[in-house]
């Protein structure tokens, strides 16, 4: 599995979201017994800090309904969840126990305070890319939205950040497998010939 490497930490003020344009400055490829462990190892090699319980996730998701089961998985694994007011309201309506970081319109201020205090450890922010409010150089005010400020803070303070829904689902599933299976065996270095010979089982989603 390949994971991209980005230079957002060197690009002051750049919004760490992905579009159709090529934005990575490199890739890291990793081999593992299955795609889930390979994905986590590739992210780690690219510089992402993989959280362990009871670390806190921050969620701000445009379509929270599709993320409810994945959020429940994080809770079952022992992670703490905080969310933007809209995401928290949607997830609670679906039976997910999650607290809102704030009830105000400028909830990013409270989220940033928690990030700076090292009380949040990973951010999953999936913006609605159809919105014209995504940051744009011709609109300075677009760089003050809640979503942009949280994404930028995650990068600046070294938190893991995912902004793609499919990647977020895969990440949580990979975490679940690592934390519930024999982690030492999943991360054990293997000779390349083991991969070529298929001497161990590989799961393909």
């Amino acid at each position: 599995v390949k994971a991209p490497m980005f230079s957002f930490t060197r690009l002051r003020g750049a919004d760490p979201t992905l579009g159709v344009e090529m934005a990575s400055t490199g890739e890291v490829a990793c081999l593992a017994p299955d795609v889930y462990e390979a994905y986590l190892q590739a992210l780690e090699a690219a510089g992402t800090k993989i959280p362990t319980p009871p670390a806190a996730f921050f969620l701000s998701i445009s379509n929270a309904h599709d993320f409810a089961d994945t959020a429940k998985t994080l809770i079952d694994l022992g992670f703490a969840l905080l969310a933007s007011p809209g995401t928290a309201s949607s997830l609670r309506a679906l039976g997910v126990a999650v607290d809102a970081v704030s009830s105000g319109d400028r909830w990013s201020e409270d989220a940033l305070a928690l990030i700076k205090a090292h009380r949040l450890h990973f951010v999953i922010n999936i913006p609605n890319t159809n919105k014209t409010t995504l940051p744009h150089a011709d609109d300075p005010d677009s760089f003050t939205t809640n979503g942009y400020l949280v994404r930028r803070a995650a990068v600046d303070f070294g938190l893991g950040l995912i902004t793609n829904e499919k990647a977020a689902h895969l990440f949580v599933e990979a975490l679940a497998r690592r934390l519930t299976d024999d982690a030492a065996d999943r991360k054990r270095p293997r000779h390349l010939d083991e991969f070529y010979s298929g001497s161990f089982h590989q799961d393909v989603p």
Side-chain angles (χ1 to χ4, degrees):
V1 174
K2 288 184 179 180
M5 297 185 67
F6 301 98
S7 298
F8 291 125
T9 55
R10 300 180 182 180
L11 301 174
R12 184 176 181 181
D15 186 14
T17 55
L18 303 180
V20 296
E21 300 87 359
M22 182 66 177
S24 67
T25 54
E27 295 176 325
V28 177
C30 287
L31 299 173
D34 57 45
V35 66
Y36 304 100
E37 184 59 32
Y39 181 57
L40 288 184
Q41 290 188 24
L43 289 178
E44 288 178 303
T48 299
K49 297 177 182 178
I50 306 300
T52 56
F57 275 73
F58 179 76
L59 308 178
S60 178
I61 301 169
S62 59
N63 186 8
H65 183 275
D66 291 342
F67 201 77
D69 289 340
T70 301
K72 290 178 181 178
T73 298
L74 286 172
I75 294 174
D76 292 341
L77 292 173
F79 291 101
L81 296 187
L82 284 174
S84 63
T87 299
S89 177
S90 297
L91 290 177
R92 283 198 296 261
L94 296 168
V96 181
V98 57
D99 292 325
V101 69
S102 170
S103 59
D105 292 336
R106 299 304 299 171
W107 50 263
S108 58
E109 296 176 2
D110 295 284
L112 265 60
L114 292 174
I115 290 174
K116 292 176 181 178
H118 306 289
R119 293 174 59 188
L120 292 178
H121 308 95
F122 204 95
V123 173
I124 298 178
N125 174 257
I126 304 173
N128 184 347
T129 55
N130 292 324
K131 288 185 177 180
T132 57
T133 54
L134 287 176
H136 191 277
D138 295 333
D139 182 10
D141 290 339
S142 67
F143 287 89
T144 62
T145 63
N146 288 308
Y148 165 76
L149 292 173
V150 170
R151 290 191 297 272
R152 188 63 235 180
V155 170
D156 292 338
F157 285 86
L159 275 65
L161 171 66
I162 291 180
T163 61
N164 177 272
E165 184 175 349
K166 290 183 179 180
H169 288 299
L170 176 60
F171 179 75
V172 175
E173 175 64 22
L175 267 183
R177 289 174 180 250
R178 174 180 284 188
L179 293 173
T180 56
D181 294 344
D182 185 347
D185 182 67
R186 293 178 67 81
K187 298 182 69 174
R188 177 175 64 84
R190 300 175 186 271
H191 194 281
L192 188 61
D193 287 344
E194 292 184 73
F195 293 93
Y196 289 148
S197 65
S199 58
F200 55 86
H201 179 67
Q202 289 183 304
D203 294 327
V204 179

